[in-house]
Amino acid sequence: MDVDLPDVVAEVKAAFARYEAALVSNDVATLDALFRDDPRTLRYGIGENLYGYAAIRAFRAGRSPAGLARDLSRTVITTYGRDMAVASTLFHRTSAPDRVGRQMQTWVRFADGWHIVAAHVSVIDRPLHEQAKD
């Protein structure tokens, strides 16, 4: 299996960037389009466990658009073959300087393009070794 084929990495980076832009601007239609419309798609969030596209879509529709801005760091996108990838990133919000968010997404290429089939978002206290850099 080929890992990190440059053209595939570029495609997933573009899809990931589209997701991030949609997230911080609360572009719900784009977020809905990027998740796979399937009852097996799941998203574990900070305060919710969402099973199935319908549950993810309902969550997005009801989410407040306030406070979505964030900065990313340590983003890693790894592709496996031509049709599967994992995107992992840390995120930081000025409203929570002592916390760090973590996001992982599994992306799969279908006939209509790249879609997220599984996602996990969590927030933890900023690790002590990172606090020492301040």
Side-chain angles (χ1 to χ4, degrees):
M1 173 179 292
D2 293 314
V3 176
D4 288 341
L5 293 165
D7 60 320
V8 180
V9 171
E11 290 175 14
V12 178
K13 282 184 177 180
F16 180 83
R18 185 174 171 221
Y19 173 89
E20 186 63 23
L23 180 72
V24 299
S25 67
N26 202 39
D27 179 352
V28 175
T30 298
L31 292 170
D32 286 348
L34 289 172
F35 275 84
R36 173 78 172 159
D37 186 351
D38 189 289
R40 295 166 292 196
T41 299
L42 62 93
R43 180 185 177 275
Y44 293 150
I46 294 169
E48 64 285 335
N49 297 319
L50 305 172
Y51 290 86
Y53 177 80
I56 296 166
R57 188 171 182 218
F59 168 79
R60 291 277 182 227
R63 184 174 183 192
S64 168
L68 297 177
R70 64 191 197 165
D71 295 311
L72 302 184
S73 68
R74 305 205 61 178
T75 301
V76 176
I77 294 175
T78 306
T79 64
Y80 301 92
R82 303 203 69 79
D83 300 316
M84 194 243 178
V86 175
S88 306
T89 195
L90 299 178
F91 62 88
H92 312 271
R93 291 197 162 105
T94 57
S95 61
D98 294 328
R99 310 275 284 162
V100 61
R102 304 174 300 177
Q103 174 182 297
M104 293 187 78
Q105 300 167 328
T106 302
W107 291 80
V108 176
R109 181 201 311 265
F110 292 90
D112 63 341
W114 287 97
H115 294 280
I116 299 164
V117 297
H120 184 113
V121 181
S122 59
V123 176
I124 61 171
D125 291 336
R126 205 164 112 197
L128 291 176
H129 70 278
E130 290 181 10
Q131 293 176 20
K133 294 177 183 178
D134 290 342

